Amino acid sequence: MRLFKAFQLRELLSSPVEKRKPIYADWDVPLLAFILIASLLLLTPASSWAQNAKVVQAPKQVNLDLSPFPSILSEDKFRGKNVVCLFIPTSNGFKSALGVLQTRAGESFWRNLGSLAASRRPSRKQMRKFKRTCMRLRDQLEDPPDIPSPMPTPPEENDPVVSECSDGMDNDSDGLVDVTNDPGCTDANDNSEASEGDPKQGEVSQWGITFVFDRPYRTGTFANGDYWVAPDAPGESVTIVEILPAAQSGPSYGWVNGWEVNPSRSLHPGQQAFDYRANLYNQSLMPTLPYSAEAGDSIIKAISDTSFDCSFPVSNQCLSIAAVLTVLDAVPPQRGAIYFRPPYVRGDKSLVSINDIRWELLPSLPPPSGVAIPTLQSLIDQIAPVNTDHGFAHDARARAKPSPWYGANISTRNMEIMLRLFLNDPIEEKKQLLVHFVNYGLDLFAMLEDGHGWNAAGGHGHGRAAPIAFAGTMLQRQDIIEALANAPSWKFGETDATYISPITGMALYGENSGGCTELNYWQSINSPTSYNVCRDPYPATSSGAPGGTIDGGRIPGAYYQSCCTSGQWQATFTGLELMPALKQTWNPPAFLQYVKRFLQVGAWTQGDTCAPGRGFCLGGDNAGQPCTTANSQNICTGIQIPGVASKCELDMSQYGVSFGPDPSMPGHCIQDSDPTDGIGRFPQLNGTNQGLAWGQTPFQLKMREQYLVLE
């Protein structure tokens, strides 16, 4: 420990005031505290302290370097002079002093006004008493005698105000120190490590859902506003006696307003206990009450919408909203305010700090011109309630609102949030939206780790990869980055429906995870089926898998390729291109190449040598006339029935005869030998719907137009 040099104090006190220099000395905290208090008392006229701290004579001025002092409890202006209360920790307590601090010509001058008693240990109560006494002394001061006005000191040179939550001391004797460890601290400026009465609650409510306990427990909220609860001691449990609105039995069987604990895709694939009308209802997944909840339990409760019959179709959402209560082992630092809510599904429940957010990785762009900018609050309203997305991607009946029901719409919502976060709002203004969005990404990542996946299924599985990648990027989570790099293509809609052709090297559209066969492919061209998104099967690879020459789907450039994928994907592509760190986290080559090609060219049907399908016009101007998929746009015109255009109905008796598989070359198609309508199945559709913007908002379009540069 370095020592304060006593001869410097003697030199200071014996020299003329105008010649005194600042003391810059090595010091020991207890010795310095003693010397400072003694010197302040020596310099104070006895009458000033005796007369209730009223200054009637000008005390001497001491030129003193105050920068080493550990803390200044409070600082206020008194008629142009800085009236300061110093709190000086020592080895066995604390001492304090009240005085006028002036700064002139770069030097600090202390004018003592009094000293307060020492205490053996600075408890919270003693600290409050000290502050009140200090403020009372300050308020009773008469106008100090005229002394030169202090020169303003730049804020960075002022002595910092060091609170209990950042002073390196265990002020409330609980074994925890400062904001990083003591749950009594709300932030670094909190001047009390002690929890205000260590508040306990007998119930907590959010989104119209109330969790009722058997007695009061310690509770709080995470950074996203979701609640946590902790038992009285680690290892104990929390008893939940009611969850309102209560689960109710349905008119036939099962329940509505259900709840679960740590839902799991790997343990109970697609099953749920929220609402008997939704898909794969399993009542056994809802525990009975009272429920003894343990650390690591995430209790998710839903409110059912009983205003209509949601049992069919799958686009219905039976759940109007849901809420999560997380059970912790103990009160977290800052009572959870600096942590993301742990994922509500089965898996790792470790606390992740919002202080880990890498704000410097986030773009900061001026708002695009000529379009209304979505408000931050409107987007918070869409993402703040938990998104129950752990069920099957193609079934929305157990997906709680306000989440959109369909994957393509989820993608649009998610990219609206991400691109909005790219604008140059102050960090504090957009922080809450980012916290909600990253928390959502962490939920999705936990689902991925639990075996979940969102295959394309037309448009159902899109929009989940980007939030996971965004969370991994903003937190620089290596586990997320590696999981995305190693994920099979079917895990996400964007990678399930795009691929690099092993035949041509072109990025093409089409799915391969639905069991499409050659026959399925041609049947979907003839009329809508469940195989409307098959890859081009020709020519097959050596293993028999679809090779691909042109875009797949029922009609290249139309149907799912336009309505529910390529438009929404343009916003995702824009986000990846505008945030380099995000693209480093998730860089799917087939997806990126496909979207870029669709933006620049549109649908791809060139290079095809397969014979087109043959049939007859169904209704319209030329009903019954021969047609092919290559010329149907010119031949089959008009309306077959109100609202339905004429089309070329394939003659499936010609399948394997004049079009489709070549019987002599399995895996290959019958070749096109009639150039009158062009060569290939859809030669007239090449380049159609270039850059079609279906599924994008005006804001997303403007962001792409103003900031995306395609090479």
Side-chain angles (χ1 to χ4, degrees):
M1 182 67 73
R2 296 175 294 180
L3 298 177
F4 183 94
K5 298 178 181 178
F7 74 88
Q8 291 182 302
L9 178 62
R10 291 195 302 270
E11 180 181 337
L12 170 72
L13 297 178
S14 61
S15 62
V17 171
E18 64 274 8
K19 293 184 179 181
R20 292 175 184 170
K21 302 294 184 183
I23 297 177
Y24 299 98
D26 294 338
W27 54 286
D28 174 84
V29 169
L31 185 57
L32 176 58
F34 172 77
I35 294 173
L36 177 67
I37 297 301
S39 64
L40 294 177
L41 290 172
L42 286 172
L43 294 171
T44 305
S47 59
S48 67
W49 188 253
Q51 296 179 26
N52 202 13
K54 294 184 178 181
V55 178
V56 294
Q57 299 179 12
K60 294 181 179 180
Q61 300 179 35
V62 178
N63 188 333
L64 185 64
D65 174 29
L66 299 174
S67 61
F69 284 92
S71 62
I72 297 178
L73 180 63
S74 63
E75 180 171 333
D76 291 283
K77 295 290 184 180
F78 179 76
R79 303 197 184 186
K81 313 299 188 295
N82 289 326
V83 177
V84 180
C85 295
L86 286 177
F87 169 59
I88 308 165
T90 68
S91 60
N92 64 348
F94 73 94
K95 297 184 186 300
S96 55
L98 176 71
V100 176
L101 174 65
Q102 292 184 286
T103 302
R104 184 169 67 252
E107 297 179 346
S108 297
F109 292 85
W110 174 262
R111 305 185 63 232
N112 182 51
L113 301 177
S115 175
L116 301 180
S119 171
R120 181 160 184 78
R121 191 174 189 85
S123 67
R124 179 170 173 267
K125 181 178 180 181
Q126 291 165 334
M127 287 295 293
R128 287 202 305 264
K129 180 179 180 182
F130 166 69
K131 183 173 181 179
R132 288 196 302 268
T133 306
C134 175
M135 295 300 101
R136 184 172 65 252
L137 289 173
R138 184 201 63 203
D139 294 340
Q140 292 172 348
L141 291 178
E142 293 180 351
D143 190 6
D146 290 335
I147 51 178
S149 299
M151 295 178 62
T153 303
E156 62 270 19
E157 294 181 13
N158 286 339
D159 290 338
V161 176
V162 182
S163 67
E164 278 194 13
C165 288
S166 56
D167 64 2
M169 299 177 64
D170 180 12
N171 297 284
D172 57 354
S173 305
D174 63 356
L176 303 173
V177 177
D178 284 358
V179 68
T180 54
N181 295 297
D182 198 316
C185 294
T186 56
D187 55 47
N189 296 319
D190 188 347
N191 199 42
S192 174
E193 284 188 346
S195 301
E196 291 297 330
D198 196 16
K200 295 182 179 181
Q201 293 180 276
E203 62 183 47
V204 293
S205 298
Q206 185 186 32
W207 312 120
I209 293 171
T210 301
F211 298 89
V212 183
F213 312 124
D214 65 329
R215 55 189 172 83
Y217 294 93
R218 291 174 294 179
T219 64
T221 55
F222 295 108
N224 73 338
D226 290 347
Y227 275 96
W228 58 262
V229 61
D232 293 331
E236 295 183 357
S237 60
V238 172
T239 301
I240 301 173
V241 295
E242 281 189 287
I243 308 179
L244 304 173
Q248 299 176 350
S249 59
S252 53
Y253 74 97
W255 298 71
V256 296
N257 300 333
W259 58 281
E260 296 183 33
V261 179
N262 295 334
S264 172
R265 179 64 179 268
S266 62
L267 298 180
H268 311 287
Q271 299 177 44
Q272 52 84 29
F274 299 121
D275 195 304
Y276 76 96
R277 301 168 297 173
N279 191 39
L280 297 178
Y281 177 73
N282 183 349
Q283 184 175 326
S284 69
L285 297 181
M286 183 171 65
T288 58
L289 292 173
Y291 176 72
S292 182
E294 299 179 349
D297 281 352
S298 294
I299 301 154
I300 179 165
K301 160 76 173 182
I303 296 178
S304 296
D305 185 349
T306 58
S307 64
F308 72 113
D309 181 9
C310 65
S311 58
F312 189 81
V314 296
S315 59
N316 285 336
Q317 289 177 273
C318 297
L319 309 182
S320 59
I321 203 160
V324 179
L325 174 66
T326 304
V327 183
L328 302 179
D329 199 39
V331 177
Q334 297 192 50
R335 304 194 74 82
I338 61 168
Y339 295 103
F340 294 101
R341 170 183 47 73
Y344 75 87
V345 296
R346 173 177 177 265
D348 184 10
K349 304 289 183 173
S350 300
L351 296 182
V352 178
S353 175
I354 64 173
N355 294 329
D356 293 338
I357 295 173
R358 297 285 298 277
W359 289 100
E360 74 277 8
L361 301 178
L362 194 66
S364 183
L365 303 171
S369 59
V371 67
I373 307 300
T375 66
L376 296 170
Q377 187 58 52
S378 68
L379 298 177
I380 290 174
D381 293 342
Q382 296 180 47
I383 197 67
V386 62
N387 285 241
T388 54
D389 207 0
H390 59 279
F392 286 124
H394 68 275
D395 196 322
R397 287 172 289 181
R399 186 172 299 134
K401 301 172 184 176
S403 171
W405 78 270
Y406 190 45
N409 305 112
I410 291 174
S411 179
T412 299
R413 187 273 311 267
N414 290 346
M415 293 315 303
E416 190 84 347
I417 292 173
M418 185 185 297
L419 294 178
R420 181 61 180 84
L421 288 168
F422 285 5
L423 301 188
N424 59 359
D425 307 85
I427 288 176
E428 283 304 314
E429 291 184 11
K430 59 185 178 183
K431 181 177 181 179
Q432 197 60 34
L433 177 60
L434 185 136
V435 166
H436 284 297
F437 194 54
V438 170
N439 220 140
Y440 168 57
L442 294 175
D443 277 346
L444 293 175
F445 174 64
M447 297 175 204
L448 181 68
E449 291 288 275
D450 190 42
H452 201 357
W454 299 267
N455 63 295
H460 287 285
H462 307 305
R464 279 64 163 213
I468 295 175
F470 186 79
T473 301
M474 295 304 296
L475 297 173
Q476 285 297 283
R477 285 272 299 271
Q478 194 60 36
D479 55 339
I480 296 179
I481 295 172
E482 291 178 359
L484 290 172
N486 297 324
S489 60
W490 66 266
K491 284 287 188 177
F492 301 109
E494 293 83 354
T495 51
D496 186 33
T498 57
Y499 68 106
I500 302 294
S501 168
I503 309 302
T504 66
M506 174 77 72
L508 298 173
Y509 169 80
E511 298 179 30
N512 192 39
S513 59
C516 290
T517 65
E518 286 181 76
L519 180 59
N520 296 148
Y521 171 79
W522 285 103
Q523 287 174 333
S524 71
I525 291 175
N526 194 36
S527 61
T529 70
S530 58
Y531 298 100
N532 292 327
V533 291
C534 293
R535 291 182 181 179
D536 174 17
Y538 302 119
T541 64
S542 58
S543 64
T549 305
I550 65 174
D551 282 335
R554 186 179 176 211
I555 303 293
Y559 292 92
Y560 282 100
Q561 188 178 1
S562 58
C563 78
C564 315
T565 56
S566 302
Q568 291 84 353
W569 290 348
Q570 293 169 42
T572 306
F573 178 86
T574 300
L576 289 169
E577 293 296 322
L578 295 184
M579 186 175 177
L582 181 65
K583 191 175 179 181
Q584 290 179 1
T585 298
W586 186 50
N587 186 16
F591 172 75
L592 294 174
Q593 290 179 40
Y594 168 78
V595 177
K596 183 177 180 180
R597 186 260 293 172
F598 192 84
L599 281 167
Q600 295 177 322
V601 178
W604 187 262
T605 62
Q606 286 185 353
D608 181 25
T609 60
C610 295
R614 298 183 179 277
F616 302 92
C617 290
L618 183 63
D621 302 327
N622 298 303
Q625 291 293 314
C627 58
T628 70
T629 56
N631 65 17
S632 63
Q633 287 185 314
N634 298 327
I635 302 297
C636 302
T637 58
I639 303 298
Q640 54 172 301
I641 58 175
V644 180
S646 176
K647 69 167 189 173
C648 186
E649 181 79 4
L650 298 186
D651 180 3
M652 294 304 292
S653 67
Q654 292 296 304
Y655 177 74
V657 178
S658 62
F659 70 89
D662 186 343
S664 64
M665 295 184 65
H668 291 261
C669 60
I670 296 172
Q671 296 294 293
D672 188 0
S673 59
D674 180 7
T676 58
D677 56 0
I679 297 297
R681 286 159 286 178
F682 304 97
Q684 296 181 4
L685 297 182
N686 193 70
T688 56
N689 288 334
Q690 175 195 357
L692 186 70
W694 283 3
Q696 293 181 75
T697 67
F699 169 68
Q700 293 170 14
L701 284 172
K702 280 295 183 181
M703 288 290 287
R704 174 167 66 83
E705 292 172 2
Q706 294 192 22
Y707 290 115
L708 182 62
V709 178
L710 295 176
E711 299 177 356

